[in-house]
Amino acid sequence: MIRKAIIPAAGLGTRFLPATKSIPKEMIPVVDKPAIQYIVEEAAASGIEDVLIITGRNKQTIEDHFDKAYELEDILEKRNKVGELATVRKPAGLCNIHFIRQQEAKGLGHAVLCAKSFVGDEPFAILLGDDLITGSKPCLKQMIDEKERLGGNILATMKVDDCDVDKYGIVDGKRYHERVIQVNEMVEKPALADAPSNQAIIGRYILDSAIFSILEGTEPGKGDEIQLTDAIKKLMDTQNVYAYEFIGKRYDTGNKLGYLKATVEFALNREEFREDFYTYLEELMGETL
Ligand code: G1P
């Protein structure tokens, strides 16, 4: 059983300036919900009971979002705004949410290490906030089910185009079954010529707690940052690591184009906007083509 998850959210958001100058990138809404709420909802829908969000300076609004909003709730209650009240209360009721601050930006591996005492001695999940994933079964739940079948450590992966391999951790290994590879090679953001495959790690992991002692001894790697990928590579010496090609669609909301695509598709998936928004897009395309 996987009960705990961590969400690293300490990054500076340099791919999304100027918005991220004063707004945490995790709080930028997709339609009407901050990106990080979708991530916590995925965790909760996958059976996670406790989530630790690793924040940094200037990220207080994330804590506010998952807290009570007494004044607002009081006003909505008095005005009998039932729907709005439920919307405001939802984030705080998803699961137990904890916070810790990463004091220095030393990379994803270092951020994960901040969760050592929260996780203790059990397998846990990591969800990266830039990756929004839709599908009929939550991506993390698919991975938890695979973990139950296979044991070991599970990384969510998907095939990416050649031009994108240098943006991801890339894995290769022995095909285990249709959607699973037993990983024996892993490299963080390789040049295309050095990439062992096109199978990229997407921001969902289920890892054994042994990763923490490995991270403590991991030297800075690519970009002079402590890389989670390097630690997982070392974990492969003693444990099985599986790459699971998840079923669903992933959006990289950390970059502007990915964010725009997510906004359009999430809006089209919303009952109250679908028809009008679709018509609008059709008209717009007719004008521009
Ligand atoms: C991180 C990981 C990388 C992974 C990616 C998924 O990179 O280091 O291995 O493929 O997330 O989104 P980042 O995008 O934080 O630079």
Side-chain angles (χ1 to χ4, degrees), residues 40-276:
V40 176
E41 285 177 0
E42 180 186 328
S46 303
I48 297 293
E49 294 164 12
D50 286 271
V51 167
L52 176 71
I53 301 180
I54 299 153
T55 66
R57 281 177 290 282
N58 303 324
K59 300 268 186 171
Q60 292 88 337
T61 51
I62 300 180
E63 294 181 40
D64 294 340
H65 188 71
F66 290 99
D67 198 354
K68 267 192 169 303
Y70 282 105
E71 196 184 353
L72 181 60
E73 289 179 30
D74 186 51
I75 291 169
L76 292 173
E77 211 159 7
K78 284 188 179 130
R79 293 185 187 163
N80 206 19
K81 301 262 186 197
V82 182
E84 288 85 345
L85 189 61
T87 305
V88 167
R89 285 184 172 156
K90 188 174 178 191
L94 287 168
C95 53
N96 302 318
I97 301 175
H98 314 254
F99 295 90
I100 192 169
R101 271 164 75 148
Q102 182 190 19
Q103 297 186 348
E104 292 164 277
K106 287 205 238 164
L108 180 59
H110 180 257
V112 170
L113 190 50
C114 296
K116 185 180 175 199
S117 55
F118 165 79
V119 169
D121 194 18
E122 54 185 295
F124 67 102
I126 303 173
L127 299 99
L128 302 187
D130 285 344
D131 292 303
L132 294 193
I133 301 175
T134 55
S136 51
K137 185 170 171 185
C139 178
L140 184 61
K141 178 73 178 112
Q142 295 175 40
M143 295 168 71
I144 290 172
D145 291 348
E146 287 302 313
K147 158 89 180 156
E148 250 156 43
R149 259 163 18 91
L150 302 165
N153 301 267
I154 316 281
L155 318 176
T157 61
M158 67 180 226
K159 284 197 189 74
V160 295
D161 293 334
D162 282 358
C163 58
D164 287 328
V165 293
D166 63 354
K167 299 186 181 77
Y168 297 95
I170 301 290
V171 299
D172 201 11
K174 202 171 87 216
R175 176 127 329 254
Y176 202 79
H177 66 76
E178 204 195 329
R179 294 194 166 270
V180 179
I181 290 170
Q182 181 162 0
V183 181
N184 57 27
E185 252 188 285
M186 188 179 307
V187 39
E188 179 67 10
K189 304 194 175 99
L192 179 59
D194 304 323
S197 79
N198 280 48
Q199 204 69 31
I201 305 171
I202 296 313
R204 303 287 184 274
Y205 309 73
I206 294 177
L207 297 176
D208 189 272
S209 58
I211 198 74
F212 293 114
S213 54
I214 298 175
L215 278 168
E216 279 167 339
T218 301
E219 295 293 326
K222 192 95 187 178
D224 205 27
E225 294 188 332
I226 298 175
Q227 294 293 349
L228 181 61
T229 307
D230 293 342
I232 299 173
K233 211 167 148 180
K234 227 170 276 166
L235 186 65
M236 274 172 7
D237 293 343
T238 51
Q239 298 193 12
N240 290 332
V241 174
Y242 299 99
Y244 168 67
E245 209 177 314
F246 65 93
I247 302 166
K249 186 160 182 189
R250 173 257 186 183
Y251 304 84
D252 179 7
T253 56
N255 83 62
K256 293 174 187 177
L257 185 60
Y259 170 79
L260 288 172
K261 289 178 184 172
T263 302
V264 170
E265 289 192 43
F266 278 56
L268 286 172
N269 279 331
R270 288 270 293 267
E271 197 68 46
E272 73 256 54
F273 303 127
R274 186 180 298 137
E275 228 180 283
D276 288 349

Side-chain angles (χ1 to χ4, degrees), residues 10-28:
L12 296 173
T14 49
R15 291 191 296 163
F16 223 109
L17 285 165
T20 46
K21 185 179 170 193
S22 63
I23 300 169
K25 68 171 173 175
E26 296 78 10
M27 288 302 292
I28 295 179

